[in-house]
Amino acid sequence: MNGTDKPLVFVTVGTDHHRFDRLMGWMEQWLAANGHARCVVQHGPADPPVGAECHEFLPHADMQALFREAAVVVCQGGPGSITESRQAGSLPIVVPRIARLDEVVDDHQVRFSRHVAAFGKVALAETAEDLHAHLDRALAEPGTYTVSDAADETAPAVARFGRLVDELVAVPRGRRRRRDRPAESH
């Protein structure tokens, strides 16, 4: 376990440019009460939580290694993070970003996360209490947050759905044009 006997908690906010300080705050609260875990956080533009090894961004290969090494993974509700976690053998604890908190442009992550949670593909955490309870249980009962279907047949569909959603929300609404009519010339 990377030179330490402490279990690894890996937290990633993905690559979205929006801040996700809510998740960082929840992790900081949990870390203050739980010194028995090593925590690596990829925090993006958010303020890094005290008590963790923090990286604004990590190379993809490093992220994949952390997904594999982690005793438990916490991620935002993006299909890419969820898929990579499951492919590495972890049932991810998912905290979806919320639009009204300026964490994302719309609530697609909330809807998607709830949908996949209903099928048991993620452990959903919509409150700090949910997250902390999942983290405590994952470390106390490690087998409950692992998946044996690393070659999950839904992974390609989930990843494609994620790419499509990311493409849709990446284009500012005023710049979209309908495909069935040509762009207007000025």
Side-chain angles (χ1 to χ4, degrees), residues 9-10 67-68 70-75 81-95 113 116-125 131 134-135 137-139 141-150 152:
V9 175
F10 176 48
F67 277 121
R68 287 190 303 272
V72 61
V73 172
V74 177
C75 64
S81 298
I82 291 169
T83 300
E84 290 206 55
S85 178
R86 290 187 56 83
Q87 287 175 336
S90 292
L91 178 74
I93 300 169
V94 173
V95 178
S113 298
V116 294
F119 290 98
K121 299 292 185 181
V122 302
L124 184 60
L131 174 62
H134 280 302
L135 286 166
R137 182 170 181 225
L139 295 179
E141 305 169 32
T144 59
Y145 288 79
T146 60
V147 293
S148 59
D149 57 350
D152 184 356

Side-chain angles (χ1 to χ4, degrees), residues 95-181:
V95 178
R97 293 171 178 264
I98 298 173
R100 69 178 165 74
L101 300 176
D102 293 325
E103 296 169 344
V104 70
V105 296
D106 62 25
D107 284 329
H108 70 278
Q109 284 196 5
V110 174
R111 291 185 299 278
F112 179 72
S113 298
R114 288 176 180 167
H115 179 75
V116 294
F119 290 98
K121 299 292 185 181
V122 302
L124 184 60
E126 295 191 78
T127 67
E129 294 77 17
D130 290 345
L131 174 62
H132 299 165
H134 280 302
L135 286 166
D136 292 342
R137 182 170 181 225
L139 295 179
E141 305 169 32
T144 59
Y145 288 79
T146 60
V147 293
S148 59
D149 57 350
D152 184 356
E153 69 281 354
T154 62
V158 170
R160 177 156 167 64
F161 176 78
R163 285 190 301 274
L164 291 171
V165 169
D166 289 343
E167 288 173 16
L168 284 173
V169 298
V171 178
R173 291 179 194 265
R175 297 183 151 217
R176 287 189 196 142
R177 65 177 181 183
R178 292 185 51 181
R179 290 186 179 169
D180 58 347
R181 73 171 183 218

Side-chain angles (χ1 to χ4, degrees), residues 28-98:
E28 190 168 311
Q29 292 168 355
W30 185 82
L31 288 165
N34 292 280
H36 61 280
R38 173 178 165 240
C39 185
V40 175
V41 177
Q42 178 268 315
H43 59 86
D47 292 331
V50 172
E53 176 188 322
C54 299
H55 305 271
E56 185 172 353
F57 291 101
L58 289 164
H60 190 249
D62 293 353
M63 297 270 294
Q64 289 180 314
L66 287 163
F67 277 121
R68 287 190 303 272
E69 181 186 346
V72 61
V73 172
V74 177
C75 64
Q76 46 95 37
S81 298
I82 291 169
T83 300
E84 290 206 55
S85 178
R86 290 187 56 83
Q87 287 175 336
S90 292
L91 178 74
I93 300 169
V94 173
V95 178
R97 293 171 178 264
I98 298 173

